[in-house]
């Protein structure tokens, strides 16, 4: 995926997990360490606005992206029952 830059929007993410995932899957994931994505919602809105699309689980990021009209791909649990 040479034309995609992944940005970590997960607040309080475990950076070791992000690095391991990045290495294992040979993709770069940018983490913005000087932003508090948990306490500074304006910055979260700004970063989401700068993205072409958002790939997320069901959390506040999904709701913000949807409210902004940003193309959003939601990873939801699936169960065959």
């Amino acid at each position: 995926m040479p034309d995609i830059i992944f940005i970590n929007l997960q607040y309080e993410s475990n950076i070791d997990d992000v690095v391991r995932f990045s290495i294992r899957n040979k993709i770069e994931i940018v983490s913005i360490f000087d932003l508090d994505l948990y306490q500074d919602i304006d910055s979260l809105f700004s970063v989401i606005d700068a993205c072409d699309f958002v790939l997320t689980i069901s959390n506040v990021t999904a709701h913000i992206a949807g409210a902004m009209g940003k193309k959003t791909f939601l990873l939801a649990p699936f169960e065959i029952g």
Side-chain angles (χ1 to χ4, degrees), residues 5-62:
I5 298 170
F6 291 92
I7 300 175
N8 179 10
L9 297 176
Q10 178 63 42
Y11 57 87
E12 298 180 2
S13 61
N14 182 320
I15 195 62
D16 293 333
D17 289 342
V18 173
V19 170
R20 274 192 299 277
F21 181 88
S22 180
I23 291 169
R24 184 179 320 123
N25 294 284
K26 298 181 175 103
I27 60 171
E28 180 180 0
I29 302 174
V30 176
S31 293
I32 307 170
F33 294 107
D34 58 338
L35 293 181
D36 184 347
L37 297 174
Y38 185 75
Q39 297 289 333
D40 185 358
I41 199 163
D42 290 333
S43 292
L44 179 56
F45 269 86
S46 294
V47 174
I48 291 171
D49 190 43
C51 295
D52 293 324
F53 63 90
V54 173
L55 173 65
T56 185
I57 61 170
S58 183
N59 60 17
V60 71
T61 302

Side-chain angles (χ1 to χ4, degrees), residues 62-73:
H63 295 280
I64 291 172
M68 295 174 68
K70 185 64 63 176
K71 181 183 263 188
T72 304
F73 298 93

